[in-house]
């Protein structure tokens, strides 16, 4: 996938900072749209996520202004307010200004300042990674006529990124599954195999970050309780089994339906998600999904994409579990890439 656009000064700085935070162990997403009920509110220049320990995670919003008049004090106020709205654990303002007063003001209000002196030292090997801008341009040229009803792949990918801001829960996980299934199936379209593979890698990485955030609260539960928690979440979303059952009972009463409530409950309580529950409840899996998410992000943006057959065994195992869950023949999928130079 060749670079097609000349990158602007601001875009280059965002890519430089993304690479800096990636090199420091963060999972990084650039240009995340903050939405509410389908309306775009603003963009987050960088979203950072880190697995600090089995019990704790760190989420940070980053604002970047590489301009002659960056208005750093305003950006500090804006970014701190956005941190409160997003309930992130910290925030960063990267500015081309070099005044000590800006750093002091940021420190006073709990905002880390990366000033012009720091930004000047950043390097970026543009030949190694595809920029977010080139990637989005490529996705915007592909339209979906089935599942997502006339949306471009760009829109679907943007929605997947946005879930990392306000759907780090079972609702976000289940929505991400639908997205991943779509792109894995599109890999079979030979004209779109490479780009679909890239988006599949990225949306799977988003799914893993959401799940990693969920797992922090149940990591030390007994294995059977952990399995039950995951099973309920995968089947019933954020409401859980009890919440869904109450909703069904209420709907039956309101509509005077003749359909027995138990019949509806049994139709939802299937064993289809057991493969996900059994896999993701394993302690050894929960410990590596953050690492896999970072690796998949890197594979997706690498100038030379990695063939799924050449992925690390742990990533191939995860991919196989997802293929089985979606009822996509895993042999057919991996055979698709045999002999393909990507």
């Amino acid at each position: 996938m060749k670079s097609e656009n000349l990158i602007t000064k601001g875009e280059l700085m965002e890519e430089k900072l993304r690479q800096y935070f990636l090199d420091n162990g963060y999972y990084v997403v650039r240009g995340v749209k903050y939405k509410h009920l389908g309306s775009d509110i603003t963009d987050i220049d960088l979203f950072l996520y880190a697995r600090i320990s089995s019990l704790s995670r760190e989420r940070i919003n980053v604002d970047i202004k590489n301009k002659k008049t960056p208005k750093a004090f305003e950006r500090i106020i804006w970014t701190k307010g956005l941190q409160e709205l997003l309930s992130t654990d910290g925030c960063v303002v990267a500015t081309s200004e070099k005044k000590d007063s800006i750093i002091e003001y940021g420190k006073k209000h709990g905002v880390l300042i990366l000033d012009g002196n720091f930004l000047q030292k950043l390097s970026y090997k543009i030949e190694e990674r595809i920029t977010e801008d080139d990637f989005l341009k490529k996705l915007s040229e592909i339209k979906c006529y089935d599942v997502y009803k006339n949306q471009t792949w760009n829109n679907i990918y943007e929605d997947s990124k946005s879930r990392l801001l306000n759907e780090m829960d079972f609702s976000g996980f289940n929505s991400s599954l639908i997205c991943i299934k779509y792109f894995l199936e599109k890999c079979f379209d030979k004209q779109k195999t490479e780009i679909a593979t890239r988006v599949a890698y990225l949306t799977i990485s988003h799914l893993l970050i959401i799940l990693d955030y969920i797992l922090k609260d149940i990591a030390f539960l007994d294995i059977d309780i952990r399995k039950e928690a995951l099973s309920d979440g995968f089947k019933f979303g954020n409401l859980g089994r009890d919440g869904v059952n109450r909703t069904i009972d209420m709907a039956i009463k309101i509509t005077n339906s003749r359909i027995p409530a138990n019949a509806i409950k049994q139709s939802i309580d299937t064993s289809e998600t057991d493969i996900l529950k059994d896999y993701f409840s394993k302690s050894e899996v929960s410990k590596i999904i953050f690492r896999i998410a970072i690796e998949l992000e890197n594979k997706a943006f690498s100038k030379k994409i990695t063939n799924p057959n050449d992925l690390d065994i742990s990533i191939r195992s995860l991919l196989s579990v997802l293929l089985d869950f979606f009822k996509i023949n895993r042999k057919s999928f991996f055979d698709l890439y045999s002999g393909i130079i990507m």
Side-chain angles (χ1 to χ4, degrees), residues 5 7 54 78 86 99 108 124-125 149 160 183 196 235 240 246 257 272 328 340:
N5 296 333
I7 191 167
S54 298
W78 168 264
L86 295 172
K99 299 176 183 176
K108 180 179 179 181
Y124 178 65
K125 297 180 180 179
K149 303 292 182 184
S160 183
F183 286 112
K235 290 177 183 178
R246 286 195 298 271
S257 174
E272 291 182 2
I328 299 173
I340 292 181

Side-chain angles (χ1 to χ4, degrees), residues 13 40 60 79 86 93 98 109 147 149 169 175 202 219 251 266 301 318 322:
M13 183 53 65
D40 291 352
I60 298 173
T79 307
L86 295 172
V93 169
K98 303 177 181 179
H109 296 285
V147 178
K149 303 292 182 184
D169 49 30
S175 295
L202 281 171
Q266 288 174 7
F301 281 106
L318 165 67
L322 291 173

Side-chain angles (χ1 to χ4, degrees), residues 167-203:
E167 283 192 275
M168 298 281 275
D169 49 30
F170 284 113
S171 173
F173 180 91
N174 292 335
S175 295
S176 293
L177 283 175
I178 298 170
C179 183
I180 292 166
K181 182 176 187 289
Y182 173 79
F183 286 112
L184 287 176
E185 290 176 339
K186 289 303 176 183
C187 291
F188 287 89
D189 183 338
K190 292 185 178 181
Q191 293 183 326
K192 300 183 177 75
T193 298
E194 179 183 331
I195 187 65
T197 303
R198 289 183 185 275
V199 193
Y201 285 172
L202 281 171
T203 50

Side-chain angles (χ1 to χ4, degrees), residues 259-314:
I259 303 174
N262 285 339
I264 299 175
K265 294 172 185 177
Q266 288 174 7
S267 69
I268 298 173
D269 191 6
T270 68
S271 60
E272 291 182 2
T273 60
D274 283 357
I275 186 173
L276 300 179
K277 171 200 68 177
D278 292 338
Y279 179 75
F280 287 120
S281 62
K282 297 176 182 177
S283 296
E284 61 269 27
V285 171
S286 65
K287 291 176 182 177
I288 64 172
I289 59 175
F290 175 69
R291 173 184 64 80
I292 292 177
I294 289 180
E295 288 189 26
L296 285 173
E297 189 275 348
N298 183 56
K299 303 295 185 189
F301 281 106
S302 175
K303 283 288 178 75
K304 181 174 173 53
I305 189 171
T306 302
N307 186 312
N309 291 293
D310 298 327
L311 292 169
D312 179 86
I313 182 64
S314 61

